[in-house]
């Protein structure tokens, strides 16, 4: 048996490291955390300095059992989990759970998975850093207290099965606030003037810096230019430089991978984790832009070798974030001489992005010559301006150019020229065309996942390890959706002067189209408003950022974690109790007006199954009202923006669109969108078809298409039991045995399966748990709303 047991977090990392160490080392994985807070009411003892009770989850018991056995047989146990707070906590949990002894335990960390780094870590072990452990405990305890105390409040006052969290609630608030900014925004139109001048064979553009708010003023300007003389009033040429961006931190990698590769924040971290574990990049959770001397020397050697001396310029970047740890490195390739790697397409693309960014950070500035020409107009006091830029030396641009969030949102500047033709002061220019185009001011941009990460980082909210899970959480819980939305057609006017004639035309453009943007849902907005009203501290940006700073202070040994939690918890708990007793139920209700025929009030609000419009008051014995009419909102509609006219349209459904095979076809909208019902069957409507416009022919076509698809799905049915079928699924053939989906072994032909064989395969599956797809254990059922009080007791109450 090996004398040394080295434990890392992931099996991929274990495999890589095992190749670097000799036969005296056994390398095993803990598969992340091996224990967590118990889910019972005594998870945290509030009256006993927030003492926690932990348990080893069922899916980790076998891992723990194996590690305990190996730890007893080893002389020394090396804890090599990641170097951040979460990693330090994993080492502490291993130490406690495996019953390790301090003299026989070593804690090591490394920033890259290379043989020199691993061997250096082995030669320089340390003890567990309990300040880092306390900081992680403080975060875990605080987030559990917030979640377990706030969630039951939301169940009672908003809707069952909701949840709240310290960082996620702030992220939702940012998105809700931005959406409301956009809804309130009033676009203003102005005319932008651009001229095209000819100089022999070359033509260039010039722009009027001012814009005209009225068409009459723009038209007057063009009219005055009919016989005007245009000449170069001034010509200025000056050198300009552009410097490369710093190497990647977690947040800048997430932003740039989103812009350049279209990756979600979660996908970026998944791919980066693989690159790290396979030894290709340094640790991917960091807020430092620092590079080690070793990295600087390696980058310099590669730049000089590949591009020459003049392309190298050493730079040492300093992190702006106050909480950043400069001892860590930025994200960089492990070996700068590896321009690409083996791996799948996503791994190669992300690696090349990291390599380019790190290499570019140590390269020379790009040098340009910028020219600005001011052009006078003989009949007007305004001047046109032409800009040109010529690259003199590409420098770092030979490798990499950073993108920005504005790249896709901003329209191309009409007055920009890559290069201006030779010009001289006083030169008279030939006007070929002068246009005044109506342009509209734009509202603030909605957040993408990447720009939300950037905003959270600017506010000091969250840390490298929390960005991705926070953004996944707010989407998984239905508070935010990431989607594409079609724009709308908008008319704009164009005035053109050519020769001595001015023409006017109206053109159409698409505006407001969104791709991959974050939109708040109605329930997200209602929950946000409730928290802002009753728990201002939880969703306050400054408070959330100050909590992060306190975690940093705990990690540095400057603050005692239980005192910090106590200062937060006591007033927070009082707010929870007060809110449960006094707050009204939150529905986001808004009156829309009155029904034009019945005169009854129309309103919109959130219900148990989502947002809906209501005609009439709720019936009571006192008011004698009839039962109100209800209609669910359609996809893309919101309780904050829906109009009376749009609400009335919802009550035109369900509607009969005709008959087929002697049965009525009806169009309606359900919980999952618009559909056609016919003879007990339901057919979903495609997104491009408006349910109000469905024709009889379209409905029949959709019904037949659905039948055809269902027929192709069925491979075999059985007379012995109509609930047993062999079907074609997304991942190949399978058996539907009642409510159980059964995988078909590779050596079985789906077409020749008998009923007895299907039954035998179903019987062979485990019966000790409710099963999901292909016999995998289904997710645990969510607790019923009536059990809310029990869940609220997940932390011990004060006496």
């Amino acid at each position: 048996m090996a004398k040394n047991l080295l434990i890392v977090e992931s099996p991929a990392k274990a495999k890589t490291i095992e190749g670097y160490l000799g036969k005296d080392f056994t390398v095993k994985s803990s598969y992340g955390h091996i224990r967590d807070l118990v889910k019972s009411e005594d998870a945290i003892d509030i009256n006993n300095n927030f003492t926690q009770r932990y348990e080893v989850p069922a899916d980790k018991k076998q891992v723990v059992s194996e590690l305990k056995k190996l730890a007893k047989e080893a002389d020394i146990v090396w804890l090599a989990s990641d170097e951040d707070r979460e990693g330090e906590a994993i080492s502490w949990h291993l130490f406690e759970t495996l019953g390790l002894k301090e003299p026989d335990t070593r804690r090591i960390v490394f920033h890259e998975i290379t043989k020199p780094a691993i061997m250096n870590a082995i030669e320089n072990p340390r003890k567990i850093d309990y300040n880092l452990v306390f900081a992680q405990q403080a975060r875990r305890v605080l987030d559990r207290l917030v979640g377990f105390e706030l969630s039951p409040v939301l169940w009672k006052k908003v809707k069952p099965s909701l949840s709240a969290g310290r960082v996620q609630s702030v992220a939702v608030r940012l998105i809700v606030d931005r959406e409301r900014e956009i809804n309130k925004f009033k676009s203003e139109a102005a005319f932008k003037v651009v001229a095209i001048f000819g100089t022999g064979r070359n033509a260039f553009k010039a722009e009027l810096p001012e814009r005209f708010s009225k068409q009459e003023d723009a038209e007057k300007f063009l009219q005055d230019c009919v016989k005007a003389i245009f000449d170069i009033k001034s010509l200025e040429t000056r050198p300009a430089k552009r410097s490369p961006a710093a190497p990647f931190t977690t947040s800048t990698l997430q932003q740039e991978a989103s812009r350049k590769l279209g990756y979600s924040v979660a996908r970026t971290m998944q791919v980066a984790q693989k690159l790290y574990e396979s030894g290709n990049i340094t640790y991917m959770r960091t807020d430092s832009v620092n590079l080690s001397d070793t990295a600087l020397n390696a980058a310099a050697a590669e730049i000089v070798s590949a591009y020459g001396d003049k392309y190298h310029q050493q730079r040492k970047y300093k992190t702006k974030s106050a909480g950043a740890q400069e001892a860590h490195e930025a994200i960089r390739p492990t070996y700068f001489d590896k321009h690409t790697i083996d791996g799948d397409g996503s791994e190669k693309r992300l690696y090349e992005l990291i390599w380019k960014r790190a290499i570019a950070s140590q390269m020379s500035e790009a040098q340009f010559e910028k020219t600005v020409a001011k052009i006078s107009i003989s009949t007007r006091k305004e001047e046109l301006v032409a800009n040109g830029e010529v690259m003199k030396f590409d420098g770092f641009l030979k490798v990499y150019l950073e993108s920005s969030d504005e790249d896709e949102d901003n329209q191309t500047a009409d007055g920009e020229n890559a290069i201006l033709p030779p010009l001289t002061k006083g030169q008279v220019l030939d006007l070929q065309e002068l246009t005044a185009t109506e342009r509209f001011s734009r509202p603030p941009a909605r957040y993408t996942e990447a720009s939300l990460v950037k905003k959270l980082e600017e506010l000091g909210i969250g840390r490298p390890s929390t960005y991705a899970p926070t953004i996944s959480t707010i989407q998984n819980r239905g508070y935010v959706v990431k989607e594409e939305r079609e724009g709308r057609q908008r008319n704009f006017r164009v005035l053109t002067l050519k020769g001595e004639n001015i023409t006017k035309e109206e053109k159409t453009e698409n505006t407001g189209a969104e791709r991959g943007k974050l939109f708040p849902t109605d329930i997200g907005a209602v929950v946000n408003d409730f928290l802002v009203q009753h728990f201002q501290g939880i969703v306050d940006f400054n408070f959330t950022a100050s909590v992060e700073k306190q975690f940093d202070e705990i990690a540095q040994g400057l603050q005692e974690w239980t005192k910090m939690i106590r200062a937060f918890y006591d007033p927070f708990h009082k707010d929870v109790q007060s809110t449960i007793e006094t707050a009204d139920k939150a529905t986001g209700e808004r009156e829309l007006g009155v029904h034009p025929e019945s005169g009854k009030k129309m309103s919109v609000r959130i219900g148990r199954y989502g947002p809906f419009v209501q005609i009439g008051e709720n019936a009571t014995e006192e008011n004698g009202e009839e039962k109100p009419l209800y209609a669910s909102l359609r996809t893309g509609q919101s309780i904050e923006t829906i109009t009376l006219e749009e609400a009335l349209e919802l009550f035109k459904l369900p509607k009969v669109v005709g008959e087929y095979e002697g049965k009525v076809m009806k169009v309606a909208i359900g919980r999952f969108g618009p559909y056609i019902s016919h003879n007990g069957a339901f057919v979903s409507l495609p997104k491009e078809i408006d349910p109000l416009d469905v024709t009889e022919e379209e409905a029949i076509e959709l019904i037949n298409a659905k039948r055809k698809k269902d027929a192709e799905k069925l491979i075999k049915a059985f007379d012995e039991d109509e609930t047993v079928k062999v079907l074609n699924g997304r991942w190949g053939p399978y058996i539907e045995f009642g409510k159980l989906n059964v995988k078909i072994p590779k050596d079985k032909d789906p077409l020749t399966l008998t009923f007895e064989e299907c039954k035998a395969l179903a019987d062979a599956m485990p019966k000790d748990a409710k099963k999901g797809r292909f016999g995998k254990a289904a997710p645990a059922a969510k607790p019923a709303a009536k059990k809310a009080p029990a869940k609220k007791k997940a932390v011990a109450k004060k006496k």
Side-chain angles (χ1 to χ4, degrees):
M1 182 63 206
K3 295 179 180 179
N4 299 278
L5 171 65
L6 189 142
I7 305 174
V8 293
E9 289 182 33
S10 75
K13 194 189 298 184
K15 190 175 181 182
T16 306
I17 292 172
E18 202 162 36
Y20 298 142
L21 300 171
K23 61 182 180 180
D24 288 340
F25 277 83
T26 296
V27 183
K28 291 292 178 181
S29 166
S30 70
Y31 295 86
H33 276 282
I34 58 160
R35 66 177 187 174
D36 196 5
L37 289 170
V38 298
K39 292 178 172 58
S40 58
E41 60 184 23
D42 57 350
I44 300 167
D45 188 346
I46 291 165
N47 298 312
N48 186 23
N49 257 354
F50 303 100
T51 304
Q52 308 105 58
R53 281 192 64 234
Y54 291 98
E55 66 180 352
V56 177
D59 63 340
K60 288 296 178 75
K61 285 184 178 177
Q62 187 175 341
V63 173
V64 170
S65 177
E66 183 189 6
L67 291 176
K68 273 185 177 179
K69 180 176 178 294
L70 292 170
K72 282 182 181 177
E73 295 171 353
D75 294 338
I76 297 177
V77 177
W78 303 77
L79 303 176
S81 51
D82 291 344
E83 61 176 327
D84 55 11
R85 291 177 203 159
E86 207 70 29
E88 204 70 24
I90 288 173
S91 281
W92 174 71
H93 284 299
L94 284 165
F95 184 86
E96 294 286 318
T97 308
L98 303 182
L100 303 180
K101 305 295 181 187
E102 204 165 278
D104 307 324
T105 307
R106 309 282 188 272
R107 169 75 172 121
I108 59 170
V109 295
F110 36 82
H111 188 64
E112 60 188 41
I113 302 178
T114 61
K115 188 169 184 178
I118 303 301
M119 300 314 294
N120 183 61
I122 295 285
E123 290 167 12
N124 297 282
R126 61 168 173 81
K127 294 181 179 180
I128 291 171
D129 185 336
Y130 281 92
N131 288 329
L132 292 178
V133 174
F134 294 151
Q136 191 273 345
Q137 276 187 315
R139 178 189 290 279
R140 188 76 182 88
V141 168
L142 183 60
D143 288 347
R144 170 64 74 94
L145 290 172
V146 169
F148 268 48
E149 295 224 357
L150 263 191
S151 296
V153 179
L154 295 179
W155 302 346
K156 288 184 176 183
K157 301 299 181 179
V158 184
K159 184 183 167 187
S161 302
L162 295 177
S163 66
R166 184 180 53 84
V167 177
Q168 75 175 57
S169 297
V170 175
V172 172
R173 183 180 182 182
L174 284 167
I175 293 165
V176 170
D177 287 352
R178 177 59 56 87
E179 192 67 21
R180 286 172 177 163
E181 277 184 73
I182 293 167
N183 290 337
K184 289 177 184 175
F185 183 81
K186 302 295 182 187
S187 185
E188 295 180 354
F191 286 82
K192 177 180 180 178
V193 177
V194 176
I196 299 177
F197 292 106
T199 58
R201 293 182 180 179
N202 300 313
F204 68 94
K205 293 178 180 180
E207 185 179 323
L208 190 70
E210 303 90 353
R211 296 196 179 190
F212 296 109
S213 57
K214 296 179 181 176
Q215 180 176 334
E216 295 79 16
D217 295 337
E219 197 171 342
K220 177 70 166 61
F221 179 84
L222 264 61
Q223 193 68 51
D224 290 346
C225 291
V226 169
K227 293 187 178 180
I229 297 169
F230 300 87
D231 63 63
I232 304 291
K233 181 180 179 182
S234 66
L235 201 60
E236 181 187 351
T237 301
R238 55 184 173 80
K241 294 180 180 180
R242 192 180 302 172
S243 297
F248 282 130
T249 61
T250 301
S251 70
T252 55
L253 175 64
Q254 290 168 347
Q255 292 163 49
E256 196 73 339
S258 172
R259 299 180 195 119
K260 277 190 158 64
L261 307 179
Y263 291 0
S264 69
V265 166
R267 186 183 180 197
T268 296
M269 296 312 291
Q270 288 165 359
V271 177
Q273 181 88 32
K274 288 182 184 177
L275 291 174
Y276 170 62
E277 289 173 353
S278 57
N280 287 310
I281 64 169
T282 53
Y283 192 54
M284 66 285 153
R285 292 189 184 93
T286 177
D287 47 16
S288 171
V289 290
N290 182 48
L291 290 178
S292 67
D293 289 340
T294 303
L296 292 173
N297 293 334
E302 186 57 29
I303 292 165
V304 171
S305 169
Y307 309 111
D309 286 333
K310 66 179 180 178
Y311 278 93
H312 176 245
Q313 183 179 336
Q314 189 179 98
R315 289 183 183 80
K316 291 192 177 182
Y317 295 88
K318 287 291 180 184
T319 305
K320 294 176 183 176
S321 172
Q325 300 182 43
E326 293 293 346
H328 295 173
E329 274 196 269
I331 304 168
R332 63 166 175 85
T334 311
Y335 304 104
F336 280 94
D337 58 355
K338 282 180 69 173
H339 292 216
T340 187
I341 57 158
D342 295 328
D344 63 30
S346 59
E347 289 171 40
K348 285 183 176 181
R349 293 176 75 196
L350 191 67
Y351 176 82
E352 286 165 12
L353 187 69
I354 292 166
W355 184 89
K356 288 177 179 178
R357 176 80 164 225
I359 277 283
S361 76
Q362 299 304 307
M363 292 178 72
S364 305
E365 296 169 325
Q367 297 175 12
F368 300 87
E369 184 178 84
K370 286 202 167 199
T371 303
V372 180
K374 292 186 178 178
I375 301 162
S376 64
I377 309 167
S378 63
T379 56
R380 302 279 300 199
K381 67 179 187 306
E382 296 96 342
E383 293 174 350
L384 294 162
V385 178
N387 292 289
E389 185 176 79
V390 179
M391 184 186 290
K392 293 296 186 181
F393 176 61
D394 54 1
F396 75 93
L397 292 177
K398 195 173 194 72
V399 173
Y400 179 82
L401 174 63
E402 184 184 20
S403 301
S404 71
D405 293 319
E406 289 71 35
D407 287 349
E408 64 180 52
D409 290 324
N410 286 349
Q411 297 172 4
T412 304
D414 292 325
E416 290 292 323
N417 302 275
I419 185 170
L420 286 172
L423 299 171
T424 57
K425 188 176 178 181
Q427 179 181 348
V428 176
L429 303 171
D430 174 29
L431 178 67
Q432 294 182 348
E433 185 177 280
L434 189 64
T435 58
T437 305
E438 188 176 26
R439 288 286 172 237
F440 298 86
S441 56
R442 308 181 73 180
R446 288 183 175 89
Y447 288 108
T448 61
E449 286 190 357
S451 63
L452 181 61
V453 166
K454 184 179 180 182
K455 186 64 177 178
L456 289 170
E457 187 180 41
E458 285 173 1
L459 293 170
I461 295 167
R463 287 296 182 262
S465 61
T466 64
Y467 299 135
T470 295
I471 287 173
S472 295
T473 297
I474 63 177
Q475 293 178 65
N476 293 339
R477 294 194 171 152
Y479 294 152
V480 170
V481 291
K482 182 174 79 169
E483 59 188 22
E484 297 183 9
R485 292 195 180 175
E486 294 180 3
R488 57 183 174 80
Q489 295 296 304
R490 176 174 65 189
N491 295 329
F492 67 98
R493 295 165 287 177
V494 181
L495 312 176
T496 305
L497 168 62
K498 213 165 189 179
E500 295 187 2
N501 298 317
I502 296 176
T503 57
K504 303 175 190 176
E505 59 181 322
E506 194 166 273
K507 295 185 177 181
T508 303
E509 64 184 354
N510 193 52
T511 183
E514 300 281 24
R515 289 186 61 194
K517 296 293 179 70
L518 299 174
F519 296 82
T521 61
D522 284 321
I523 192 65
V526 170
V527 168
N528 172 73
D529 291 349
F530 182 83
L531 294 177
V532 169
Q533 181 180 354
H534 298 286
F535 297 95
Q536 177 64 36
I538 295 296
V539 289
D540 180 78
F541 304 135
N542 292 329
F543 165 77
T544 311
S546 72
V547 167
E548 296 290 354
K549 287 179 183 174
Q550 290 180 74
F551 291 152
D552 291 339
E553 289 173 359
I554 293 166
Q556 295 162 30
L558 302 176
Q559 187 173 164
E560 208 280 305
W561 78 271
T562 56
K563 290 181 180 177
M564 177 255 177
I565 298 294
R566 176 65 65 193
F568 163 81
Y569 179 74
D570 287 351
F572 168 70
H573 184 66
K574 287 178 183 175
D575 286 345
V576 168
Q577 292 178 315
S578 172
T579 303
I580 287 175
E581 292 168 7
T582 63
D584 295 328
K585 194 169 177 66
T587 63
E589 183 171 358
R590 184 169 71 91
E591 284 194 27
L592 299 174
V594 296
H595 192 277
E597 295 171 11
S598 67
K600 291 184 177 181
K601 183 181 86 171
M602 290 187 66
S603 59
V604 60
R605 69 176 185 272
I606 286 283
R608 186 180 184 88
Y609 301 110
F612 67 93
V613 175
Q614 177 176 325
I615 300 176
E617 302 281 357
N618 291 330
T620 64
E621 290 183 12
E622 290 77 17
N623 64 22
E625 286 276 344
E626 295 179 5
K627 186 178 179 181
L629 296 174
Y630 305 101
S632 296
L633 268 62
R634 293 170 61 180
T635 303
Q637 291 182 324
S638 162
I639 61 175
E640 293 194 16
T641 57
I642 190 171
T643 63
L644 178 63
E645 292 71 24
E646 290 168 338
L648 289 168
E649 289 287 309
L650 298 174
F651 290 91
K652 292 182 179 179
L653 297 174
K655 72 168 186 174
V656 173
V657 292
E659 284 192 7
Y660 182 46
E661 300 173 341
K663 302 288 183 180
V664 168
M665 296 182 293
K666 191 182 289 184
V667 178
I669 293 181
R671 288 179 64 188
F672 304 105
Y675 65 91
I676 298 167
S677 65
H678 173 259
N679 196 23
F682 302 93
V683 181
S684 294
L685 278 180
K687 283 183 179 180
E688 61 271 15
I689 297 181
D690 189 316
L692 292 172
D693 299 334
V694 176
T695 64
E696 185 176 46
E697 293 74 19
E698 285 175 324
I700 293 170
E701 188 178 331
L702 288 166
I703 290 167
N704 287 333
K706 176 76 162 47
R707 287 177 179 177
K708 184 173 183 289
K709 186 177 178 183
D710 289 345
E712 291 170 351
K713 182 179 178 182
L714 179 66
I715 296 174
K716 197 170 187 180
F718 300 94
D719 294 335
E720 293 93 331
D721 188 339
E722 62 180 15
T723 67
V724 180
K725 299 169 186 171
V726 182
L727 302 172
N728 251 321
R730 188 175 176 185
W731 292 280
Y734 68 98
I735 301 164
E736 184 180 87
F737 202 96
K739 293 183 178 180
L740 191 66
N741 290 343
V742 183
K743 196 169 184 177
I744 299 173
K746 288 182 179 179
D747 61 345
K748 298 281 187 184
D749 181 359
L751 284 168
T752 61
L753 282 171
T754 65
F755 176 77
E756 288 72 23
E757 286 176 315
C758 291
K759 187 174 185 303
L761 289 169
D763 290 343
M765 297 180 68
K767 299 192 185 323
D768 58 345
K770 184 178 179 182
K771 301 298 173 185
R773 181 165 177 80
F774 301 133
K776 293 178 182 176
K782 290 183 180 178
K786 65 182 180 181
K787 293 184 181 179
K791 193 155 187 179
K792 187 187 169 189
K793 293 178 183 176
V795 290
K797 285 190 175 181
K798 292 179 74 177
K799 294 177 182 175

XYZ file of all heavy atoms in Angstrom, residues 323-352:
242
model
N -10.934 43.425 -3.076
C -10.859 42.125 -2.420
C -10.001 41.117 -3.152
O -9.883 39.973 -2.726
N -9.402 41.512 -4.259
C -8.630 40.560 -5.067
C -7.375 40.115 -4.340
O -6.787 40.854 -3.562
C -8.264 41.184 -6.402
N -6.965 38.885 -4.626
C -5.779 38.331 -3.976
C -4.634 38.290 -4.980
O -4.624 37.485 -5.900
C -6.084 36.925 -3.451
C -7.221 36.956 -2.426
C -7.504 35.591 -1.863
O -6.595 34.835 -1.549
N -8.775 35.267 -1.715
N -3.701 39.214 -4.827
C -2.608 39.355 -5.786
C -1.668 38.162 -5.798
O -0.919 37.965 -6.732
C -1.809 40.642 -5.488
C -2.590 41.924 -5.732
C -2.908 42.169 -7.201
O -2.322 41.507 -8.068
O -3.766 43.017 -7.480
N -1.682 37.358 -4.731
C -0.813 36.180 -4.709
C -1.251 35.175 -5.773
O -0.459 34.375 -6.251
C -0.851 35.527 -3.338
N -2.529 35.223 -6.132
C -3.028 34.344 -7.176
C -2.630 34.904 -8.536
O -2.233 36.055 -8.663
C -4.551 34.228 -7.100
C -5.019 33.576 -5.842
N -6.338 33.498 -5.496
C -4.331 32.962 -4.848
C -6.456 32.867 -4.341
N -5.256 32.543 -3.922
N -2.781 34.073 -9.558
C -2.492 34.531 -10.912
C -3.781 34.729 -11.697
O -4.835 34.205 -11.344
C -1.629 33.492 -11.641
C -0.138 33.642 -11.406
C 0.658 32.871 -12.442
O 0.961 31.695 -12.189
O 0.991 33.450 -13.487
N -3.645 35.470 -12.780
C -4.732 35.567 -13.740
C -4.875 34.211 -14.434
O -4.050 33.313 -14.263
C -4.416 36.650 -14.760
N -5.923 34.052 -15.221
C -6.100 32.823 -15.992
C -5.181 32.896 -17.216
O -5.249 33.844 -17.992
C -7.563 32.661 -16.434
C -8.499 32.699 -15.226
C -7.747 31.358 -17.213
C -9.962 32.826 -15.579
N -4.334 31.902 -17.355
C -3.378 31.907 -18.470
C -3.107 30.476 -18.901
O -3.409 29.527 -18.172
C -2.070 32.575 -18.037
C -1.344 31.835 -16.909
C 0.071 32.302 -16.745
N 0.758 31.691 -15.604
C 1.367 30.518 -15.640
N 1.366 29.798 -16.760
N 1.972 30.036 -14.558
N -2.534 30.296 -20.107
C -2.143 28.938 -20.494
C -0.999 28.446 -19.615
O -0.135 29.232 -19.208
C -1.703 29.094 -21.955
C -1.390 30.538 -22.116
C -2.259 31.281 -21.162
N -0.984 27.182 -19.321
C 0.102 26.611 -18.518
C 1.427 26.706 -19.279
O 2.467 27.035 -18.709
C -0.200 25.133 -18.197
O -1.532 25.039 -17.692
C 0.753 24.600 -17.162
N 1.350 26.421 -20.562
C 2.555 26.478 -21.411
C 2.270 27.426 -22.581
O 1.409 27.140 -23.422
C 2.914 25.086 -21.939
C 3.109 24.062 -20.854
C 2.123 23.103 -20.595
C 4.263 24.050 -20.073
C 2.291 22.157 -19.587
C 4.439 23.112 -19.061
C 3.445 22.175 -18.829
O 3.610 21.253 -17.824
N 3.012 28.531 -22.643
C 2.759 29.525 -23.683
C 3.145 29.038 -25.085
O 2.672 29.580 -26.078
C 3.503 30.830 -23.367
C 2.792 31.682 -22.354
C 3.096 31.592 -21.007
C 1.795 32.562 -22.745
C 2.432 32.367 -20.071
C 1.127 33.346 -21.815
C 1.449 33.251 -20.475
N 3.980 28.019 -25.162
C 4.369 27.535 -26.492
C 3.321 26.585 -27.088
O 3.462 26.126 -28.212
C 5.744 26.856 -26.460
C 5.795 25.683 -25.476
O 4.794 25.461 -24.765
O 6.835 25.001 -25.437
N 2.262 26.302 -26.331
C 1.147 25.512 -26.872
C 0.074 26.466 -27.386
O -0.709 27.001 -26.608
C 0.559 24.596 -25.787
C 1.376 23.355 -25.505
C 0.731 22.496 -24.418
C -0.559 21.853 -24.870
N -1.078 20.897 -23.854
N 0.053 26.700 -28.698
C -0.907 27.642 -29.279
C -2.311 27.041 -29.338
O -3.293 27.770 -29.403
C -0.468 28.050 -30.680
C 0.786 28.874 -30.687
N 0.995 29.905 -31.566
C 1.896 28.825 -29.910
C 2.185 30.441 -31.340
N 2.749 29.796 -30.343
N -2.392 25.723 -29.359
C -3.694 25.048 -29.343
C -3.542 23.741 -28.566
O -2.432 23.385 -28.165
C -4.212 24.787 -30.772
O -5.557 24.288 -30.694
C -3.329 23.779 -31.515
N -4.643 23.053 -28.359
C -4.617 21.825 -27.544
C -5.447 20.747 -28.209
O -6.225 20.996 -29.123
C -5.192 22.093 -26.132
C -6.621 22.646 -26.259
C -4.309 22.993 -25.321
C -7.474 22.464 -25.045
N -5.305 19.521 -27.716
C -6.216 18.447 -28.088
C -7.459 18.584 -27.220
O -7.377 18.945 -26.054
C -5.562 17.081 -27.841
C -4.358 16.857 -28.742
O -4.380 17.371 -29.876
O -3.398 16.192 -28.301
N -8.600 18.286 -27.773
C -9.848 18.406 -27.015
C -10.993 18.637 -27.971
O -10.806 18.700 -29.191
N -12.203 18.770 -27.414
C -13.337 19.028 -28.300
C -13.326 20.489 -28.748
O -12.495 21.293 -28.307
C -14.666 18.661 -27.625
C -14.971 19.490 -26.387
O -14.534 20.658 -26.318
O -15.642 18.985 -25.471
N -14.247 20.843 -29.630
C -14.256 22.181 -30.226
C -14.372 23.300 -29.214
O -13.680 24.317 -29.310
N -15.230 23.106 -28.200
C -15.434 24.170 -27.207
C -14.179 24.379 -26.373
O -13.831 25.514 -26.027
C -16.632 23.856 -26.313
O -16.445 22.625 -25.645
N -13.488 23.288 -26.042
C -12.248 23.405 -25.261
C -11.172 24.111 -26.077
O -10.448 24.979 -25.567
C -11.776 22.015 -24.833
C -12.648 21.373 -23.766
C -12.277 19.922 -23.520
O -11.076 19.600 -23.515
O -13.193 19.095 -23.353
N -11.046 23.761 -27.343
C -10.034 24.404 -28.201
C -10.296 25.902 -28.333
O -9.374 26.717 -28.239
C -10.037 23.758 -29.592
C -9.386 22.391 -29.650
C -9.369 21.874 -31.080
C -8.639 20.536 -31.168
N -8.605 20.033 -32.552
N -11.555 26.256 -28.547
C -11.895 27.674 -28.758
C -11.623 28.494 -27.499
O -11.095 29.599 -27.574
C -13.359 27.801 -29.190
C -13.642 27.213 -30.565
C -15.117 27.269 -30.892
N -15.525 28.624 -31.233
C -16.788 29.038 -31.258
N -17.767 28.215 -30.929
N -17.088 30.274 -31.592
N -12.020 27.953 -26.337
C -11.802 28.713 -25.105
C -10.315 28.788 -24.781
O -9.822 29.841 -24.341
C -12.566 28.086 -23.936
C -12.614 28.967 -22.681
C -13.442 30.226 -22.947
C -13.213 28.212 -21.493
N -9.596 27.708 -25.000
C -8.146 27.729 -24.745
C -7.464 28.777 -25.625
O -6.628 29.558 -25.143
C -7.527 26.363 -25.019
C -6.013 26.379 -24.869
C -5.423 26.271 -23.603
C -5.177 26.562 -25.962
C -4.040 26.327 -23.456
C -3.803 26.623 -25.826
C -3.235 26.498 -24.571
O -1.870 26.573 -24.420
N -7.812 28.809 -26.911
C -7.181 29.768 -27.823
C -7.494 31.207 -27.426
O -6.660 32.101 -27.559
C -7.603 29.474 -29.260
C -6.918 28.216 -29.813
C -7.561 27.673 -31.077
O -8.399 28.389 -31.667
O -7.233 26.534 -31.463
